[in-house]
Every structure is written in C-alpha cells, then in structure tokens.
Amino acid sequence: MNKHLLSITQLSREDVLTAESFREVGTRVIKKVPALRGRTVVNLFYENSTRTRISFELAAKRLSADVINFSTSGSSVAKGESLKDTALTLEAMGADAIVIRHSSSGAPHTLSKWVEASVLNAGDGTHEHPTQALLDLFTIREHFPSIEGVRIAIVGDVRHSRVARSLTFAMATMGGDVTLVGPPTLIPPEAAAWGANVSHDLDGVLPKLDVCYMLRVQKERQRQQFFPSVREYARLFGLSRARVEALPESAVIMHPGPMNRGVEIASDVADLPRAVITDQVTNGIAVRMSLLYLMLGGDRSRVVEEDARLDDAARVEAPSA
Ligand code: CP
C-alpha cells in the first residue's frame, strides 16, 4: 500500500480487495482493536461532510488511534491561515495521518509534498473521492461475487462529480462495465477516455443493469445553467418508481449521499430494500479502517492478541453444558 491515497488510480486489484479485511470488526459487540494505539489521525475538512468525516473518525477510533477533528469554522483559517501552515501546525502536534477534504482539486496532492504524515483524499473539488469508490466496490461485491462484468450505470451530474470519476476508474480496474448517463451538458468531453460508455438515454440503459448508481445534482458546483429546470431534470434523469420497474430484479440501487430526494431519486425509491445506500455508509467504516491500518503500518499482532482475548472471554461467558 502507498504512503498516501490521493487517487483511486494508485491502487491495484489486490489493494482494492484488501480494503475488506476489517469488515468483521464492525459486527463485534466490542468494535475496537488496538492496532493503531498511540497514533494520531487528523480529519482536516475544508468542506462540509457527514458520512466521510464521521466514518473516518469512527474508523480511526475503532483502531484505537487518537483523532482530531478540524473544521475551518472556529479555527485560525478564519483569520487567513494558509493550508500549508495549518497542516504543518497539525503535524507539529504529532499527526501521523491527515485526512483532507477540500474544494480545490489537487489540494491533497499539494499537501502530501509539505508533510511527512500520510495524506488520505476525502474528496477534492471535482477531481476524486477514492475512499467512496472503495466502499462502493465493497458494497457491489456483497451482491455480485465478482466485479468482473458487472454492468453499472452512473447517472446524472458526472461533470461535477468526484465520485463518478473515482468509481469509473475503480470499476475499470476491476473489470466492470460502466456507462455514464446524463444530459450532454453534464457529461464532460473527456469521459469517453475514462474507459466508460456514454449514454443520454436512461430508459434505454436501465433493463441491462446490475447496478444503478444515482449521483447528486451538485447545485453548489454549477456556475451556469446545465439543464432547463429541476423538474425537467427529474423527468428525464431521475430514478422514479416506474423506472425501477424497468431494472432487472437482481439490480441494486446506489447513491453516495447526500441525496436530493425528488430530484435525482424519488423519495420512495431511496427507501426500497434494493436501495443499498445505508449499506454503503456502513461499509465505509470497514474500508477506512483497512486503509488507515495499511497506510500507518498497524500492528497486526495486536489485532490477533485482541481476537484471542475476545475468544477466551466468550468461552468464559458461555461454558459448554
Ligand atoms: N458521500 C459523501 O462524501 O458524503 P459526505 O459529503 O456526507 O461526506
């Protein structure tokens, strides 16, 4: 595993599969292992987040690391302190890993040149969101034995979506079959070079899918009008109940969150059993635990010792008759 995780393109097939190694810890009564005891993880978030920030926090805590949550409001960033000085300050306090979300594409890459700590990209501008792609692959593998040949449509605002870029690259690495679907204004011209098919006809694509992955319409990143109205967008590219009927029975529905219910996905569709959106969130913790463990050189012997201790405790609690 690399020292930093800046782009999903850094990872091999094997790296992607190792991201599942901590899944079981999340199902234990005591969800904690001592693998990163004494290490410090900083969540450096310059943009809002619910899932990614809390998931990294829980992942680090379940590995027994110390966690510092940094947000720009209330910090010296509000007084004009630069990203570099902020990062060097946090590193001087002993950060071993910095998890960064930033509105500027490339900020994690730049940060990795300034600090000794491992840098993990938690979403940078319209560039990439590699840990989201890993948790998405993990979730798909819960429903299909292999990603090889899995047919996925990534639907909507591809132009502004770091999730779409990372997931397309990740699916290509694993042998999946990706179609990017959206209005021409929301599919960037370079998308054809990502190893994906492109379509502007959602209804034509739906019957052939294993995974229908809906993207959030990112109004905050759109500096011009990319479609006539939200109503028109929902009519042409929203996943309605009627469109779900066109999917094969085995197909699953995914969304990275946060959702605009009633825009890219109908509210009742988001709550269907085949919409695995909360599973994606749950799986994010295991994926991020694995990454932190692998990147910070966690002590596997401590995990094995903890497993043995828990086994002993279980035997004492449940003596055989
Ligand atoms: N999927 C995702 O990145 O969500 P948050 O913005 O809540 O972290």
Side-chain angles (χ1 to χ4, degrees):
M1 186 63 72
N2 301 289
K3 179 175 177 190
H4 307 295
L5 178 60
L6 308 175
S7 163
I8 195 75
T9 57
Q10 289 173 251
L11 301 186
S12 64
R13 274 176 185 242
E14 290 68 35
D15 291 333
V16 169
L17 297 177
T18 55
E20 301 187 11
S21 55
F22 275 83
R23 180 185 177 80
E24 176 271 333
V25 175
T27 62
R28 294 179 182 178
V29 179
I30 299 166
K31 297 181 174 61
K32 215 159 171 161
V33 290
L36 291 184
R37 195 185 289 145
R39 315 300 290 275
T40 300
V41 175
V42 174
N43 279 328
L44 180 57
F45 277 59
Y46 280 75
E47 251 190 15
N48 295 340
S49 167
T50 298
R51 280 148 283 269
T52 313
R53 191 188 62 72
I54 294 173
S55 175
F56 264 114
E57 180 177 352
L58 269 176
K61 285 180 171 168
R62 287 184 184 173
L63 291 166
S64 305
D66 294 321
V67 183
I68 298 166
N69 286 314
F70 177 97
S71 60
T72 50
S73 65
S75 76
S76 289
V77 172
K79 299 180 204 164
E81 187 160 40
S82 67
L83 171 60
K84 181 173 184 175
D85 287 331
T86 302
L88 292 177
T89 300
L90 293 166
E91 191 169 55
M93 294 184 194
D96 295 297
I98 301 178
V99 178
I100 179 170
R101 170 167 290 191
H102 204 286
S103 56
S104 296
S105 300
H109 184 263
T110 307
L111 178 61
S112 71
K113 306 282 174 220
W114 293 329
V115 295
E116 284 302 313
S118 288
V119 174
L120 290 94
N121 182 356
D124 62 329
T126 57
H127 175 228
E128 280 218 39
H129 196 345
T131 61
Q132 178 71 44
L134 288 172
L135 72 88
D136 289 337
L137 290 189
F138 188 162
T139 307
I140 293 168
R141 276 168 48 79
E142 288 186 317
H143 296 271
F144 303 95
S146 161
I147 302 287
E148 190 89 42
V150 165
R151 298 159 302 174
I152 180 172
I154 303 176
V155 184
D157 186 0
V158 176
R159 176 184 285 267
H160 300 99
S161 175
R162 52 198 178 206
V163 172
R165 286 173 64 91
S166 288
L167 183 54
T168 302
F169 297 147
M171 288 294 293
T173 299
M174 302 302 284
D177 177 357
V178 184
T179 304
L180 301 170
V181 184
T185 49
L186 289 177
I187 306 282
E190 68 272 20
W194 298 353
N197 308 303
V198 172
S199 170
H200 309 301
D201 173 18
L202 178 58
D203 293 312
V205 166
L206 289 173
K208 302 168 208 152
L209 293 181
D210 298 307
V211 181
C212 186
Y213 194 105
M214 304 309 294
L215 295 171
R216 183 168 71 89
V217 174
Q218 303 198 35
K219 297 191 201 90
E220 74 278 16
R221 293 195 204 281
Q222 295 182 5
R223 293 187 184 85
Q224 48 179 291
Q225 194 79 17
F226 286 95
F227 44 84
S229 69
V230 167
R231 198 175 153 147
E232 181 76 354
Y233 180 88
R235 190 176 68 76
L236 291 173
F237 294 100
L239 190 59
S240 61
R241 196 62 191 252
R243 286 200 165 111
V244 171
E245 300 304 320
L247 285 168
E249 252 177 50
S250 58
V252 296
I253 297 161
M254 298 175 70
H255 192 300
M259 290 182 276
N260 297 305
R261 286 180 184 248
V263 181
E264 68 269 5
I265 187 165
S267 192
D268 58 344
V269 171
D271 297 328
L272 290 173
R274 62 156 74 183
V276 294
I277 297 159
T278 52
D279 294 347
Q280 291 171 260
V281 176
T282 303
N283 292 337
I285 301 169
V287 163
R288 288 167 178 132
M289 282 179 80
S290 301
L291 287 170
L292 288 171
Y293 172 80
L294 293 167
M295 293 175 68
L296 293 183
D299 186 346
R300 190 85 206 179
S301 68
R302 289 190 192 168
V303 179
V304 174
E305 279 168 25
E306 180 69 359
D307 282 345
R309 195 186 65 73
L310 288 171
D311 281 350
D312 287 347
R315 269 194 290 275
V316 170
E317 278 168 24
S320 54

